[in-house]
Amino acid sequence: MRLPSPYTGVFRGGSTARTGPHALPLARIKKIMKRSARDGSGGDGAGARMISCEAPVLFSRACELFVAELTRAAWDATLEGRRRTVHAEDVAAAVRDTNVFDFLVDVVKARPSDDGVNAGDGEGGVAPAVGVHGGMQGRRL
């Protein structure tokens, strides 16, 4: 008899017990994982040639949870500004005000207005992801 693995709960709740519905395409996640391993700190530069089928599923779920938490924090900033639309400066405020998102401070920058409060026009706010895999200019997601 096969015992359930510790990640069995991640796979449940979808259309199939093995994969389920994912908000992010698993093939794209696998491609990013291979590219990141090749570019990363592997030492020998070989990178990951083989990736198990469970790894992209777990990364997909982790990304969903990350986006949900960042969205919740940005929504709190939106409500503090007495608005009902999330703007880039709300995401920047969420990153700035939440310790969990400290690693994003260099990627997301708030644009202060003249009075020291974030501008409400929605311009600026999010800097391009320079330094994170060379930026996203010219790359198609």
Side-chain angles (χ1 to χ4, degrees):
M1 178 177 196
R2 184 175 175 192
L3 296 175
S5 70
Y7 302 110
T8 303
V10 173
F11 300 119
R12 291 204 178 128
S15 58
T16 65
R18 187 72 176 158
T19 58
H22 301 286
L24 302 172
L26 298 180
R28 178 70 177 140
I29 292 172
K30 195 171 185 178
K31 188 176 185 181
I32 292 170
M33 289 173 69
K34 285 186 176 186
R35 186 183 65 217
S36 297
R38 186 175 54 242
D39 297 342
S41 60
D44 59 358
R49 293 183 186 168
M50 300 290 287
I51 296 174
S52 71
C53 63
E54 293 93 1
V57 174
L58 292 174
F59 269 98
S60 175
R61 183 66 179 140
C63 289
E64 290 175 26
L65 294 173
F66 171 74
V67 170
E69 184 61 25
L70 183 58
T71 303
R72 187 202 53 77
W75 179 248
D76 290 343
T78 302
L79 293 179
E80 285 178 13
R82 294 187 176 101
R83 288 179 280 110
R84 306 253 328 143
T85 303
V86 178
H87 294 283
E89 65 264 14
D90 298 323
V91 177
V95 168
R96 187 183 61 245
D97 298 340
T98 308
N99 292 339
V100 175
F101 302 126
D102 282 347
F103 68 98
L104 291 173
V105 169
D106 295 334
V107 178
V108 179
K109 298 177 182 175
R111 191 187 89 181
S113 65
D114 296 334
D115 60 356
V117 181
N118 287 343
D121 59 0
E123 296 177 12
V126 178
V130 175
V132 180
H133 298 296
M136 296 305 293
Q137 297 86 359
R139 290 192 182 157
R140 196 170 162 225
L141 296 177

